[in-house]
Amino acid sequence: MRLVLLASVLSVSCVASASFELVLALDTGNHMIHRVDGERSIYLGNFGANRLLYPTGMAVQQSTNRVHVFDANLHAFISFDYNTGEKVAEAVAPSFGYAQFGLANNGDFLIGDFASTTARRYSQSGALLATFTAPAGAAGTRAMTQAADGNYYVAWSGINAITRHNSAGALLATVVGTNAALSDCRQMFVQNNQVVISGGSSGRWMRANYSGSTAWGSITEMTSMAFAYGVSGGHFSTIYSGGYVGTGNCVLNSFNLSTGGQMSAYTIPGAGNVTALGTVVAPEPHTVVGMLMAGGLGLLSRRKRRG
Protein backbone atom coordinates (compact mmCIF):
# COMPACT_ATOMS: atom_id res chain seq x y z
CA MET A 1 0.00 0.00 0.00
CA ARG A 2 2.87 2.34 0.84
CA LEU A 3 4.49 1.70 -2.51
CA VAL A 4 1.22 2.47 -4.26
CA LEU A 5 0.90 5.76 -2.36
CA LEU A 6 4.45 6.83 -3.22
CA ALA A 7 3.95 5.86 -6.85
CA SER A 8 0.78 7.93 -6.95
CA VAL A 9 2.55 10.94 -5.46
CA LEU A 10 5.37 10.68 -7.98
CA SER A 11 3.01 10.27 -10.93
CA VAL A 12 0.99 13.33 -9.91
CA SER A 13 4.17 15.34 -9.41
CA CYS A 14 5.44 14.48 -12.88
CA VAL A 15 2.21 15.67 -14.44
CA ALA A 16 2.13 18.81 -12.32
CA SER A 17 5.71 19.79 -13.12
CA ALA A 18 4.95 19.87 -16.84
CA SER A 19 2.57 22.81 -16.43
CA PHE A 20 2.04 24.24 -12.98
CA GLU A 21 1.10 27.50 -11.31
CA LEU A 22 1.47 27.69 -7.55
CA VAL A 23 -0.82 30.46 -6.31
CA LEU A 24 -0.13 31.84 -2.83
CA ALA A 25 -3.05 33.57 -1.11
CA LEU A 26 -2.48 35.75 1.95
CA ASP A 27 -5.19 35.21 4.55
CA THR A 28 -5.15 38.23 6.86
CA GLY A 29 -8.04 36.94 8.97
CA ASN A 30 -6.35 33.63 9.81
CA HIS A 31 -2.80 35.06 9.56
CA MET A 32 -1.51 32.41 7.16
CA ILE A 33 -0.64 31.78 3.52
CA HIS A 34 -2.61 29.24 1.49
CA ARG A 35 -1.08 27.27 -1.39
CA VAL A 36 -3.22 26.32 -4.38
CA ASP A 37 -2.46 24.64 -7.71
CA GLY A 38 -4.09 27.38 -9.76
CA GLU A 39 -4.44 25.40 -12.97
CA ARG A 40 -6.17 22.43 -11.37
CA SER A 41 -7.78 24.09 -8.32
CA ILE A 42 -6.08 21.72 -5.89
CA TYR A 43 -5.43 22.82 -2.31
CA LEU A 44 -1.80 22.30 -1.23
CA GLY A 45 -1.97 23.34 2.41
CA ASN A 46 -0.92 26.47 4.26
CA PHE A 47 1.88 27.90 6.38
CA GLY A 48 2.73 30.91 8.51
CA ALA A 49 0.04 30.61 11.18
CA ASN A 50 2.65 30.20 13.91
CA ARG A 51 4.74 33.13 12.61
CA LEU A 52 2.28 35.86 11.63
CA LEU A 53 -0.07 38.06 13.65
CA TYR A 54 -1.60 40.59 11.24
CA PRO A 55 -0.18 40.20 7.72
CA THR A 56 -1.56 42.81 5.31
CA GLY A 57 0.73 42.58 2.27
CA MET A 58 2.62 39.89 0.37
CA ALA A 59 4.91 39.55 -2.66
CA VAL A 60 6.54 36.52 -4.32
CA GLN A 61 10.21 36.47 -5.35
CA GLN A 62 10.49 33.37 -7.50
CA SER A 63 14.23 33.76 -8.14
CA THR A 64 14.92 33.02 -4.47
CA ASN A 65 11.96 30.69 -3.75
CA ARG A 66 10.71 33.22 -1.23
CA VAL A 67 7.47 34.93 -0.38
CA HIS A 68 7.78 38.16 1.59
CA VAL A 69 5.10 39.39 4.00
CA PHE A 70 4.54 42.68 5.79
CA ASP A 71 3.08 42.17 9.27
CA ALA A 72 1.52 45.31 10.74
CA ASN A 73 1.38 43.98 14.32
CA LEU A 74 4.93 42.62 14.39
CA HIS A 75 6.26 45.67 12.50
CA ALA A 76 8.35 43.29 10.44
CA PHE A 77 9.16 42.07 6.94
CA ILE A 78 9.01 38.28 7.20
CA SER A 79 10.28 35.97 4.45
CA PHE A 80 9.33 32.32 3.96
CA ASP A 81 10.50 29.55 1.67
CA TYR A 82 7.22 28.95 -0.16
CA ASN A 83 8.15 25.30 -0.82
CA THR A 84 8.69 24.31 2.80
CA GLY A 85 6.75 27.06 4.58
CA GLU A 86 9.73 27.76 6.86
CA LYS A 87 10.65 31.29 7.89
CA VAL A 88 14.04 32.17 6.39
CA ALA A 89 14.48 35.87 7.20
CA GLU A 90 13.01 38.76 9.18
CA ALA A 91 13.75 42.49 9.16
CA VAL A 92 12.36 45.36 11.21
CA ALA A 93 9.67 47.37 9.38
CA PRO A 94 8.21 50.82 10.14
CA SER A 95 5.17 51.13 12.41
CA PHE A 96 2.73 51.34 9.53
CA GLY A 97 -0.91 50.42 9.91
CA TYR A 98 -2.69 48.46 7.19
CA ALA A 99 -0.35 48.45 4.21
CA GLN A 100 0.04 46.58 0.94
CA PHE A 101 3.36 45.28 -0.28
CA GLY A 102 5.26 44.78 -3.54
CA LEU A 103 8.70 44.10 -4.97
CA ALA A 104 10.98 46.19 -7.15
CA ASN A 105 12.69 44.49 -10.07
CA ASN A 106 15.82 43.89 -7.96
CA GLY A 107 13.85 42.56 -4.98
CA ASP A 108 13.61 45.77 -2.92
CA PHE A 109 10.47 46.03 -0.79
CA LEU A 110 7.80 48.54 -1.89
CA ILE A 111 5.36 49.56 0.83
CA GLY A 112 2.93 52.28 1.79
CA ASP A 113 0.48 52.85 4.60
CA PHE A 114 -3.16 53.10 3.57
CA ALA A 115 -3.58 55.98 6.02
CA SER A 116 -0.41 57.82 4.96
CA THR A 117 0.63 59.77 1.87
CA THR A 118 4.11 58.29 2.09
CA ALA A 119 5.20 55.42 -0.14
CA ARG A 120 8.64 53.96 0.40
CA ARG A 121 11.25 51.56 -0.96
CA TYR A 122 13.36 49.45 1.41
CA SER A 123 16.18 46.97 1.07
CA GLN A 124 15.39 43.45 2.22
CA SER A 125 17.39 44.19 5.35
CA GLY A 126 14.95 47.00 6.18
CA ALA A 127 17.05 50.03 5.14
CA LEU A 128 15.07 52.96 3.70
CA LEU A 129 16.20 53.63 0.11
CA ALA A 130 13.66 56.10 -1.31
CA THR A 131 10.50 58.02 -0.45
CA PHE A 132 7.88 58.54 -3.13
CA THR A 133 6.24 61.95 -3.42
CA ALA A 134 2.46 61.99 -3.08
CA PRO A 135 0.43 64.07 -5.54
CA ALA A 136 -1.85 66.82 -4.28
CA GLY A 137 -5.07 65.55 -2.76
CA ALA A 138 -3.86 61.99 -2.10
CA ALA A 139 -5.22 60.38 1.07
CA GLY A 140 -3.18 57.17 1.22
CA THR A 141 -1.07 54.66 -0.69
CA ARG A 142 -2.95 51.75 -2.22
CA ALA A 143 -0.54 49.69 -4.37
CA MET A 144 2.96 49.87 -5.86
CA THR A 145 4.93 48.19 -8.63
CA GLN A 146 7.97 48.73 -10.84
CA ALA A 147 7.76 48.23 -14.60
CA ALA A 148 10.44 47.00 -16.99
CA ASP A 149 11.29 50.61 -17.93
CA GLY A 150 12.61 51.13 -14.39
CA ASN A 151 9.92 53.58 -13.37
CA TYR A 152 7.81 53.05 -10.26
CA TYR A 153 4.03 53.29 -10.22
CA VAL A 154 1.93 54.10 -7.15
CA ALA A 155 -1.87 54.02 -6.78
CA TRP A 156 -3.41 56.55 -4.39
CA SER A 157 -6.75 56.87 -2.69
CA GLY A 158 -8.39 60.27 -2.44
CA ILE A 159 -7.59 61.22 -6.03
CA ASN A 160 -8.21 57.73 -7.53
CA ALA A 161 -5.08 57.92 -9.65
CA ILE A 162 -1.77 56.20 -10.39
CA THR A 163 1.46 58.19 -10.56
CA ARG A 164 4.84 57.52 -12.18
CA HIS A 165 8.09 58.06 -10.25
CA ASN A 166 11.82 57.69 -10.89
CA SER A 167 14.12 55.52 -8.76
CA ALA A 168 14.71 58.39 -6.32
CA GLY A 169 10.95 58.68 -5.71
CA ALA A 170 10.39 61.99 -7.50
CA LEU A 171 6.94 62.44 -9.04
CA LEU A 172 7.15 62.41 -12.84
CA ALA A 173 3.54 62.29 -13.96
CA THR A 174 0.01 61.14 -13.25
CA VAL A 175 -0.44 58.27 -15.67
CA VAL A 176 -4.03 57.26 -15.03
CA GLY A 177 -6.89 59.67 -14.47
CA THR A 178 -9.85 59.41 -12.13
CA ASN A 179 -11.36 55.97 -11.65
CA ALA A 180 -13.39 55.23 -8.53
CA ALA A 181 -12.22 51.62 -8.22
CA LEU A 182 -8.59 52.73 -7.87
CA SER A 183 -9.35 54.19 -4.45
CA ASP A 184 -9.43 50.69 -2.94
CA CYS A 185 -7.01 48.77 -5.17
CA ARG A 186 -4.41 46.58 -3.44
CA GLN A 187 -2.08 45.07 -6.06
CA MET A 188 -0.96 45.81 -9.62
CA PHE A 189 1.55 44.43 -12.11
CA VAL A 190 2.38 44.56 -15.83
CA GLN A 191 1.81 41.51 -18.04
CA ASN A 192 1.62 41.24 -21.84
CA ASN A 193 1.72 45.06 -22.21
CA GLN A 194 -1.27 45.39 -19.92
CA VAL A 195 -1.29 46.84 -16.42
CA VAL A 196 -3.47 44.65 -14.20
CA ILE A 197 -5.00 46.12 -11.03
CA SER A 198 -7.17 44.67 -8.27
CA GLY A 199 -10.35 46.64 -7.63
CA GLY A 200 -10.87 46.03 -3.92
CA SER A 201 -14.39 46.69 -2.71
CA SER A 202 -15.51 47.46 -6.27
CA GLY A 203 -15.48 43.69 -6.79
CA ARG A 204 -13.59 44.01 -10.06
CA TRP A 205 -10.14 43.63 -11.50
CA MET A 206 -8.99 46.22 -14.02
CA ARG A 207 -6.68 46.42 -17.00
CA ALA A 208 -5.22 49.19 -19.14
CA ASN A 209 -2.78 49.36 -22.03
CA TYR A 210 0.80 49.85 -20.88
CA SER A 211 2.99 52.02 -23.08
CA GLY A 212 6.16 52.61 -21.13
CA SER A 213 6.88 56.19 -20.18
CA THR A 214 3.75 57.65 -21.75
CA ALA A 215 0.28 57.67 -20.19
CA TRP A 216 -1.61 54.43 -19.94
CA GLY A 217 -4.84 53.99 -21.83
CA SER A 218 -8.24 54.12 -20.19
CA ILE A 219 -9.04 51.46 -17.61
CA THR A 220 -11.40 48.60 -18.43
CA GLU A 221 -13.12 47.03 -15.41
CA MET A 222 -13.90 43.31 -15.31
CA THR A 223 -16.39 41.58 -13.02
CA SER A 224 -14.72 39.35 -10.44
CA MET A 225 -16.31 38.93 -6.98
CA ALA A 226 -17.74 40.96 -4.11
CA PHE A 227 -14.29 42.03 -2.86
CA ALA A 228 -11.37 41.60 -5.27
CA TYR A 229 -8.29 42.39 -3.19
CA GLY A 230 -5.53 40.28 -4.73
CA VAL A 231 -4.35 39.93 -8.31
CA SER A 232 -1.38 38.08 -9.83
CA GLY A 233 -0.23 36.75 -13.19
CA GLY A 234 0.11 33.22 -14.53
CA HIS A 235 1.16 31.65 -17.81
CA PHE A 236 0.64 33.64 -21.00
CA SER A 237 -2.70 35.46 -20.67
CA THR A 238 -3.83 33.90 -17.38
CA ILE A 239 -4.35 36.10 -14.35
CA TYR A 240 -5.74 35.30 -10.90
CA SER A 241 -8.07 37.43 -8.83
CA GLY A 242 -8.55 36.63 -5.16
CA GLY A 243 -10.88 37.94 -2.48
CA TYR A 244 -14.16 36.93 -0.93
CA VAL A 245 -17.89 36.99 -1.50
CA GLY A 246 -18.82 36.66 2.17
CA THR A 247 -17.38 35.66 5.53
CA GLY A 248 -15.63 32.30 5.25
CA ASN A 249 -16.15 32.19 1.49
CA CYS A 250 -12.82 33.20 -0.01
CA VAL A 251 -12.46 32.59 -3.71
CA LEU A 252 -9.65 32.35 -6.24
CA ASN A 253 -10.80 33.01 -9.81
CA SER A 254 -8.76 32.88 -13.00
CA PHE A 255 -9.37 35.00 -16.09
CA ASN A 256 -8.06 35.42 -19.61
CA LEU A 257 -6.27 38.77 -19.66
CA SER A 258 -6.87 39.29 -23.37
CA THR A 259 -10.61 38.67 -23.40
CA GLY A 260 -11.55 39.23 -19.77
CA GLY A 261 -13.40 35.91 -19.73
CA GLN A 262 -13.48 33.85 -16.55
CA MET A 263 -11.66 30.52 -16.75
CA SER A 264 -12.13 28.97 -13.31
CA ALA A 265 -13.54 29.57 -9.83
CA TYR A 266 -12.30 27.93 -6.66
CA THR A 267 -13.25 28.36 -3.00
CA ILE A 268 -10.15 28.19 -0.79
CA PRO A 269 -10.93 25.80 2.10
CA GLY A 270 -10.64 27.33 5.54
CA ALA A 271 -9.70 30.78 4.28
CA GLY A 272 -10.93 33.77 6.26
CA ASN A 273 -10.01 36.96 4.39
CA VAL A 274 -7.77 36.79 1.30
CA THR A 275 -6.12 40.17 0.79
CA ALA A 276 -3.18 39.50 -1.56
CA LEU A 277 -1.99 36.99 -4.15
CA GLY A 278 1.31 35.84 -5.58
CA THR A 279 2.04 33.28 -8.30
CA VAL A 280 4.98 30.95 -8.86
CA VAL A 281 4.87 30.25 -12.58
CA ALA A 282 6.20 26.91 -13.88
CA PRO A 283 8.49 26.02 -10.98
CA GLU A 284 11.30 23.55 -11.46
CA PRO A 285 10.12 19.91 -11.39
CA HIS A 286 11.88 19.23 -8.07
CA THR A 287 9.76 21.94 -6.44
CA VAL A 288 6.52 20.13 -7.10
CA VAL A 289 8.05 16.72 -6.42
CA GLY A 290 9.36 17.96 -3.09
CA MET A 291 6.04 19.40 -1.98
CA LEU A 292 4.06 16.32 -2.96
CA MET A 293 6.67 13.88 -1.65
CA ALA A 294 6.62 15.69 1.69
CA GLY A 295 2.86 15.27 1.82
CA GLY A 296 3.12 11.61 0.81
CA LEU A 297 5.82 10.83 3.35
CA GLY A 298 3.78 12.58 6.01
CA LEU A 299 0.85 10.30 5.25
CA LEU A 300 3.10 7.25 5.42
CA SER A 301 4.53 8.40 8.75
CA ARG A 302 1.07 8.81 10.24
CA ARG A 303 0.03 5.39 8.95
CA LYS A 304 3.14 3.86 10.50
CA ARG A 305 2.49 5.46 13.89
CA ARG A 306 -1.07 4.24 13.85
CA GLY A 307 0.08 0.75 12.98
Side-chain angles (χ1 to χ4, degrees):
M1 179 64 183
R2 294 175 183 174
L3 291 176
V4 172
L5 175 58
L6 283 175
S8 299
V9 169
L10 287 172
S11 64
V12 171
S13 68
C14 292
V15 172
S17 63
S19 177
F20 182 78
E21 291 174 350
L22 173 65
V23 182
L24 302 175
L26 180 66
D27 185 343
T28 297
N30 292 326
H31 43 80
M32 65 176 59
I33 299 171
H34 300 275
R35 290 187 288 212
V36 178
D37 177 344
E39 292 193 334
R40 296 167 181 80
S41 297
I42 299 173
Y43 189 66
L44 299 175
N46 61 74
F47 60 92
N50 61 335
R51 298 288 187 178
L52 301 169
L53 290 182
Y54 187 50
T56 64
M58 180 188 73
V60 168
Q61 188 174 15
Q62 187 167 340
S63 62
T64 60
N65 295 329
R66 293 187 177 188
V67 56
H68 307 286
V69 180
F70 170 74
D71 192 299
N73 278 13
L74 295 174
H75 308 303
F77 301 118
I78 302 175
S79 303
F80 298 90
D81 182 318
Y82 53 66
N83 297 319
T84 65
E86 294 298 315
K87 187 180 83 168
V88 294
E90 182 173 340
V92 176
S95 298
F96 286 142
Y98 197 103
Q100 201 31 285
F101 187 57
L103 289 182
N105 296 339
N106 67 350
D108 288 343
F109 295 159
L110 305 176
I111 191 168
D113 190 342
F114 282 16
S116 170
T117 56
T118 300
R120 298 175 182 177
R121 177 166 59 93
Y122 296 88
S123 70
Q124 292 198 8
S125 63
L128 178 63
L129 301 177
T131 299
F132 295 82
T133 306
T141 311
R142 305 308 297 188
M144 297 179 65
T145 192
Q146 185 183 22
D149 62 7
N151 287 320
Y152 293 82
Y153 297 85
V154 185
W156 306 89
S157 60
I159 56 173
N160 306 319
I162 296 175
T163 52
R164 186 174 74 249
H165 304 255
N166 62 21
S167 60
L171 176 63
L172 301 178
T174 298
V175 296
V176 176
T178 302
N179 187 288
L182 288 175
S183 189
D184 195 35
C185 73
R186 306 298 176 92
Q187 290 184 295
M188 62 179 173
F189 64 94
V190 177
Q191 179 172 314
N192 297 353
N193 293 320
Q194 296 273 302
V195 58
V196 185
I197 310 166
S198 66
S201 57
S202 72
R204 300 173 181 271
W205 63 272
M206 300 170 281
R207 67 182 183 187
N209 291 328
Y210 174 75
S211 55
S213 60
T214 59
W216 292 335
S218 60
I219 287 179
T220 301
E221 296 185 357
M222 304 293 178
T223 300
S224 182
M225 60 198 74
F227 299 93
Y229 288 141
V231 66
S232 63
H235 285 98
F236 307 112
S237 292
T238 300
I239 72 157
Y240 294 93
S241 179
Y244 56 94
V245 295
T247 303
N249 191 9
C250 292
V251 293
L252 175 67
N253 296 338
S254 67
F255 297 86
N256 183 295
L257 175 59
S258 300
T259 65
Q262 185 167 340
M263 300 164 59
S264 67
Y266 176 68
T267 299
I268 302 175
N273 185 1
V274 170
T275 54
L277 295 181
T279 310
V280 180
V281 179
E284 295 297 322
H286 70 268
T287 298
V288 185
V289 171
M291 290 174 58
L292 294 176
M293 279 294 292
L297 291 175
L299 289 174
L300 288 178
S301 176
R302 287 194 294 271
R303 289 174 60 87
K304 184 176 181 179
R305 288 196 299 270
R306 291 173 181 173

